[in-house]
Structures are given as structure tokens and as C-alpha cells.
């Protein structure tokens, strides 16, 4: 079992996927990290952006063996790659957000503002896909866990 953290301006008791924002890195879903400091940073940021609430980190337990379970549709990205970059771009630019990420769970790097800048350069054909991946490889990337279906959400246990 592993602990996963979600940073927000409110405590998350029940996960409601319909409240999740579309066009995120891996699609519309609930995002967590296994890095507590990353969740604390996101909680501070969310409280500042929302202008209300308090920075709050909600903790969940997750059985990581489920990442290799044939019952769920899981996508794992070990680090930045061409496949990861194109997947993030497709999700961020989707006109119908639910149509892109059809996975229960996705694990991979976070595309922060610096990554978004590089993705935009690629989209405008200012750099090649190979250069994009090289640029992303040297960045300090945090890890995120995406839970995009009710089946996936059911595997999280609030603590």
C-alpha cells in the first residue's frame, strides 16, 4: 500500500469526478501525487487562486499492485517521452475531454508551466518532437497519479 496526496483549498472527503476540470495533462479526473511536498505546494496554489478556503492536503491509501492488474486500464509513463508529450497535448487540447483519456489510471510526470511552454513551442512547429523530449528530459518533473473512472476512484481509501 502507498500513500497518495491531493492538495486543494478544501478537504476532499468524497471524490466527485463531475467536479474535476477538463483538459488536464491526463484528462478529466482526480489527480494525486506520492510526493507530499508537491501536494502541499498545490494546496497553497489552489487556495491562492480560489481566494477562499485553506491549503489542505488530503491523504489516500492505494494498492500499487493494481497498476499491474489486468482488471483496470492503466497507462504508465516512466518519464518524458514522445508518447507522453503527445498524450498530454491531446488531453490539454481536446474539444471533447472525455474522448482522449480512456484510462482508469495514468501515472507520469507533471507538465508544469515550463513544460506547457515547451509543448506550445512544439505545437507551433518551432521545435521538433525529438527536441521537445530532450528539453523535457532535463527538467525536474514531479509525478502525478490520475484516477479517471469510478472504478479507479473506488480503489482509493481516504485516511
Amino acid at each position: 500500500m502507498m500513500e497518495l496526496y491531493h492538495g486543494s483549498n478544501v478537504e476532499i472527503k468524497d471524490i466527485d469526478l463531475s467536479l474535476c476540470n477538463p483538459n488536464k495533462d491526463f484528462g478529466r479526473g482526480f489527480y494525486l501525487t506520492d510526493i507530499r511536498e508537491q501536494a502541499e505546494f498545490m494546496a497553497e496554489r489552489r487556495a491562492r487562486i480560489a481566494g477562499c478556503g485553506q491549503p489542505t492536503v488530503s491523504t489516500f491509501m492505494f494498492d500499487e499492485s493494481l497498476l499491474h492488474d489486468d482488471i483496470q486500464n492503466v497507462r504508465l509513463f516512466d518519464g518524458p517521452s514522445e508518447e507522453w508529450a503527445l498524450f498530454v497535448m491531446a488531453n490539454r487540447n481536446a474539444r471533447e475531454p472525455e474522448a482522449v483519456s480512456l484510462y482508469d489510471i495514468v501515472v507520469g510526470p507533471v507538465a508544469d508551466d515550463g513544460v506547457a511552454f515547451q509543448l506550445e513551442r512544439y505545437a507551433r512547429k518551432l521545435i521538433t518532437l525529438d527536441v521537445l523530449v530532450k528539453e523535457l528530459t532535463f527538467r525536474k518533473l514531479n509525478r502525478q497519479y490520475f484516477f479517471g473512472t469510478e472504478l479507479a476512484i473506488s480503489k482509493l481509501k481516504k485516511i
Side-chain angles (χ1 to χ4, degrees), residues 53-154:
Q54 295 295 319
T56 305
V57 174
S58 300
T59 305
F60 297 84
M61 294 301 294
F62 174 68
D63 180 357
E64 66 268 30
S65 70
L66 295 174
L67 296 174
H68 307 286
D69 188 338
D70 291 337
I71 296 172
Q72 297 185 61
N73 192 8
V74 176
R75 182 84 181 257
L76 304 174
F77 294 103
D78 291 328
S81 65
E82 290 182 5
E83 193 175 9
W84 170 80
L86 294 173
F87 185 70
V88 169
M89 286 183 63
N91 281 300
R92 286 184 167 210
N93 296 324
R95 293 190 195 279
E96 296 177 28
E98 287 78 10
V100 179
S101 183
L102 303 174
Y103 294 95
D104 296 311
I105 299 172
V106 180
V107 180
V110 175
D112 64 11
D113 292 341
V115 172
F117 172 73
Q118 297 298 342
L119 292 173
E120 180 64 24
R121 288 179 64 213
Y122 172 73
R124 294 173 147 203
K125 301 186 185 331
L126 299 174
I127 60 174
T128 65
L129 187 55
D130 185 51
V131 170
L132 171 64
V133 173
K134 285 179 185 173
E135 290 290 329
L136 298 180
T137 300
F138 295 106
R139 296 189 55 79
K140 179 181 181 262
L141 297 171
N142 290 325
R143 192 172 31 254
Q144 60 188 341
Y145 290 73
F146 161 88
F147 291 75
T149 64
E150 293 299 330
L151 173 62
I153 295 299
S154 74

Side-chain angles (χ1 to χ4, degrees), residues 2 7 20 22 28 36-37 40 65 88 127 139 142 154 159:
M2 68 186 306
C20 298
R28 180 191 299 264
R36 184 166 181 87
E37 294 79 21
E40 290 168 351
S65 70
V88 169
I127 60 174
R139 296 189 55 79
N142 290 325
S154 74
I159 58 171

